[in-house]
Amino acid sequence: MREDAAGKSTARQTHAERYDALVIGAGFTGLYQLHCLRDRLGLNAKVLEAANGVGGTWYWNRYPGARCDSESHSYCYYFSKELVTDWEWSERYPGQEEIRHYLNHVADRFDLRKDIRLGDRVISARFDDAETLWHVTTEGGKQYEAQFLITGVGCLSSANVPEIPGLDNFKGDWYHTGSWPHEGVDFTGKRVGQIGTGSTGIQSVPVIAETAKHLTVFQRTANYSIPARNAPLSDDFKRYTKEHSDEIHEIMLAGPNGHPFRIEDRPVSSVTPDKQQEIYEAAWEKGGLRFRSVFKDLLTSKPANDTAAEFIKSKIREIVKDPETAALLSTIDHPFATKRPPIDSHYFETFNRDNVSLVDIKTNPVTRITPTGIETSASHHDLDIIVFATGFDAISGPLLAMDIRGTNGVSLKETWAEGPKTYLGLQIAGFPNLFTVTGPGSPSVLTNMPVAIEQHVEWITDCIDRLRKSGKSRIETTKEAAEKWVGETNAAANATLLPQANSSWYLGANVPGKPRVFMPYAGGMAHYRKRCNEVAAEGYEGFVLS
Ligand code: N01
């Protein structure tokens, strides 16, 4: 017998496939988690994936210009030296297609495909207290059972299409960048409107502008961006990264963000204003997220941050020829890097093209979508295609998109009504044997993701191994531990300038009605890893094992 959502006993289903562990999602997390559970622990494990292929984020995000902003030699697994040595990246930043090839290569190399079920979305998961079993149901009506359930659903996988009146009546085509058609979109001769100027929008604008008849960019919040300076990798660099992979990995593990570069140990005030400019100029030329690493206090001191912010704004004004457009692009309402800082390939330069215009929808908001275009409070814009680069219901969104119910049938939605609460971002009180890889309350999106993913997957694997070896079957965090960790997560964010960006998706502010809680742990990846290791070493302090 088992309990249903209301806690009543019902006859046991017999048609469910039974596993030791189920993993939701076949992206970076799902692939490695399957490898660890199956090949290291010898468990009977299965990955359930909604898409028709592996790749997670990189399966769905095929929009024009889609490219990672972590450098390719760091945006990969480091658990296998052979994998690091064998795989060859072609450019400084890996493009979407190349990352997808890489993840398919991993799936083949570790013979993972046979234990991945594709093309069926998990819609619900319910914990059976009496049997210590998770019952999982998919959209296709398949049922699964497992002692352990691990989510690898990604932080940015629930597309946020704004509810603008009239979209249903639009006669043209519209797309969200996060679920882009596999056959691509032909913009030739089309009047295109794009809403959204985050990392995605900043990447797609220059590419769409190349073929569109006209591109109108609708900007609500102006954004900083640093040139990516993408380029093919030289043979020397490829050799260097393979020969020094241990050293590079150590740097990634030692830093706060999992990137393959060190943060300079100097505050902005330690050098003269002239020297600051010289340093920023060199970092601008070098390009990429490394820009942030030239001083140690850019995210903790507003006066320090102002120097970087002003430098970038002056660059925008220098690049963009039309003064009105330059002013709109450089009037930025938050400190630098308090929203995820984009990097770009000729974003600001694109506004010098005759076929590109910028519309300020902060001053004149979008009022509706008409059959022929977008109407703002000031004007109407005729369009054939609308591109929503409007981001995601981030971090907690993909978890809440499933009906997950823990002990006594209590739902995750109810449990997180006031915002997500986890212990270490790994577990939720009331949801035994459920692990949330890169969940809210972990460094996740503030890091180079594969580093955060490897750390979580390895911690969870060790945890399950130790639990089983100790003859126990169940691990669950306590409410007290989760409350305390929420406090620590808030304190870590408040020690930085990050909460000063009001419209940030880190806070959930981009989704109307979502509770405003700073979701990722901002205390740094290295510090966080040490903490997780200590918790495990102390017999899983903050968890109850039974
Ligand atoms: O999404 P975003 P994204 N009306 O939320 C605007 C990762 N990523 O897809 O700022 C009008 O950042 C919104 O305006 P505002 C990366 O972590 C990585 O660009 O809310 N506008 C904003 O301009 C990144 O941060 C890579 O005022 C609306 C934009 O849409 C994350 O994904 C590449 C609106 C959304 O920006 C998300 O980036 C791409 C509305 N109703 C993404 N709603 C790389 O690795 C939203 N907006 C390079």
Side-chain angles (χ1 to χ4, degrees):
M1 299 292 270
R2 64 188 177 84
E3 285 184 338
D4 67 10
K8 289 181 290 195
S9 290
T10 59
R12 187 177 151 70
Q13 292 165 344
T14 50
H15 53 285
E17 279 180 34
R18 178 77 173 263
Y19 294 92
D20 296 323
L22 286 167
V23 183
I24 309 177
F28 266 98
T29 295
L31 297 182
Y32 185 35
Q33 188 69 75
L34 172 61
H35 175 57
C36 286
L37 294 173
R38 189 191 69 184
D39 303 331
R40 288 193 195 157
L41 302 192
L43 298 194
N44 184 17
K46 183 94 174 175
V47 174
L48 305 175
E49 166 60 57
N52 288 317
V54 304
T57 286
W58 302 103
Y59 178 90
W60 298 106
N61 281 268
R62 300 173 189 231
Y63 61 85
R67 189 176 287 286
C68 184
D69 55 9
S70 292
E71 296 185 23
S72 52
H73 66 288
S74 66
Y75 196 74
C76 50
Y77 296 112
Y78 267 77
F79 70 83
S80 158
K81 184 105 176 164
E82 293 73 31
L83 181 61
V84 172
T85 313
D86 290 356
W87 181 261
E88 193 146 299
W89 295 105
S90 66
E91 294 176 277
R92 179 172 174 189
Y93 305 94
Q96 175 268 334
E97 193 59 19
E98 194 167 12
I99 303 171
R100 208 165 62 80
H101 282 153
Y102 169 75
L103 291 171
N104 274 282
H105 167 76
V106 171
D108 291 331
R109 188 188 176 108
F110 296 96
D111 195 18
L112 300 173
R113 287 187 201 281
K114 63 184 184 202
D115 294 309
I116 302 174
R117 182 178 159 89
L118 297 172
D120 204 3
R121 183 180 293 277
V122 169
I123 52 170
S124 70
R126 194 167 37 76
F127 185 69
D128 182 326
D129 224 351
E131 293 187 275
T132 309
L133 265 190
W134 278 96
H135 295 268
V136 172
T137 306
T138 66
E139 218 163 43
K142 289 273 292 174
Q143 312 249 339
Y144 300 87
E145 301 174 340
Q147 184 184 357
F148 300 102
L149 179 63
I150 299 146
T151 61
V153 289
C155 296
L156 298 158
S157 53
S158 266
N160 169 40
V161 179
E163 287 182 18
I164 303 173
L167 181 57
D168 288 348
N169 301 327
F170 181 57
K171 284 201 206 126
D173 297 317
W174 66 267
Y175 308 94
H176 186 277
T177 49
S179 47
W180 201 256
H182 289 196
E183 63 281 11
V185 177
D186 185 5
F187 295 105
T188 316
K190 306 283 190 194
R191 296 161 304 174
V192 183
Q194 177 179 301
I195 301 182
T197 52
S199 300
T200 300
I202 281 176
Q203 285 187 326
S204 59
V205 159
V207 184
I208 295 174
E210 276 171 23
T211 53
K213 181 175 174 198
H214 192 89
L215 171 62
T216 308
V217 180
F218 294 86
Q219 173 187 278
R220 187 164 71 180
T221 307
N223 218 335
Y224 299 94
S225 184
I226 306 295
R229 312 273 182 222
N230 187 37
L233 293 175
S234 67
D235 289 341
D236 279 353
F237 186 78
K238 288 179 193 169
R239 200 173 318 111
Y240 175 85
T241 54
K242 287 177 202 288
E243 287 173 4
H244 294 81
S245 64
D246 289 343
E247 205 177 308
I248 292 167
H249 195 210
E250 263 172 43
I251 295 173
M252 287 160 62
L253 295 181
N257 307 106
H259 285 293
F261 48 81
R262 292 194 176 87
I263 293 176
E264 296 287 345
D265 189 26
R266 62 181 170 206
V268 170
S269 60
S270 67
V271 300
T272 64
D274 281 353
K275 186 72 185 165
Q276 288 166 16
Q277 292 305 299
E278 196 186 303
I279 289 169
Y280 286 137
E281 225 21 281
W284 183 265
E285 279 317 305
K286 179 105 185 134
L289 295 177
R290 287 168 189 261
F291 187 91
R292 274 183 305 176
S293 69
V294 295
F295 293 110
K296 69 173 180 183
D297 55 347
L298 290 182
L299 261 186
T300 49
S301 152
K302 180 68 168 53
N305 191 290
D306 285 346
T307 63
E310 197 36 59
F311 175 85
I312 300 167
K313 290 176 189 174
S314 72
K315 282 289 180 194
I316 299 171
R317 292 190 288 264
E318 199 178 298
I319 295 168
V320 180
K321 299 209 168 74
D322 173 51
E324 209 177 305
T325 307
L328 273 180
L329 289 166
S330 61
T331 305
I332 307 178
D333 67 0
H334 51 280
F336 168 60
T338 53
K339 290 175 84 166
R340 173 68 138 68
I343 62 175
D344 69 275
S345 296
H346 313 299
Y347 174 66
F348 296 115
E349 289 84 346
T350 301
F351 291 94
N352 293 331
R353 293 177 68 118
D354 291 338
N355 69 334
V356 176
S357 49
L358 183 68
V359 172
D360 171 14
I361 56 169
K362 173 117 8 214
T363 313
N364 299 304
V366 172
T367 45
R368 65 182 180 124
I369 293 176
T370 69
T372 54
I374 293 180
E375 184 183 86
T376 71
S377 59
S379 51
H380 185 272
H381 301 266
D382 290 336
L383 300 168
D384 304 306
I385 296 176
I386 300 174
V387 173
F388 290 99
T390 43
F392 303 89
D393 181 355
I395 308 179
S396 56
L399 293 166
L400 290 168
M402 300 176 283
D403 181 17
I404 303 181
R405 289 174 186 268
T407 44
N408 302 319
V410 176
S411 73
L412 187 58
K413 259 192 195 89
E414 293 163 65
T415 309
W416 282 1
E418 288 162 17
K421 286 182 183 166
T422 71
Y423 180 39
L424 299 169
L426 279 161
Q427 266 215 340
I428 306 152
F431 296 78
N433 289 3
L434 171 70
F435 297 96
T436 50
V437 175
T438 65
S442 73
S444 65
V445 292
L446 299 177
T447 71
N448 174 28
M449 286 301 277
V451 174
I453 288 169
E454 283 194 331
Q455 184 259 340
H456 264 189
V457 166
E458 286 161 12
W459 192 95
I460 291 165
T461 306
D462 286 347
C463 174
I464 291 177
D465 191 32
R466 283 176 58 185
L467 188 75
R468 286 167 64 93
K469 283 181 177 151
S470 70
K472 294 183 171 148
S473 61
R474 176 171 165 155
I475 175 164
E476 180 184 357
T477 190
T478 62
K479 266 197 176 138
E480 296 69 35
E483 290 289 349
K484 204 162 156 234
W485 185 249
V486 169
E488 286 191 47
T489 304
N490 288 336
N494 290 334
T496 72
L497 303 177
L498 288 163
Q500 292 194 18
N502 286 326
S503 65
S504 156
W505 58 260
Y506 292 155
L507 271 171
N510 62 327
V511 177
K514 189 167 174 173
R516 293 208 176 193
V517 175
F518 194 87
M519 290 180 283
Y521 175 73
M525 188 64 216
H527 175 73
Y528 172 81
R529 180 185 300 101
K530 186 166 167 276
R531 182 66 185 272
C532 289
N533 290 346
E534 284 166 2
V535 165
E538 285 156 20
Y540 296 97
E541 173 254 318
F543 295 91
V544 175
L545 283 63
S546 56

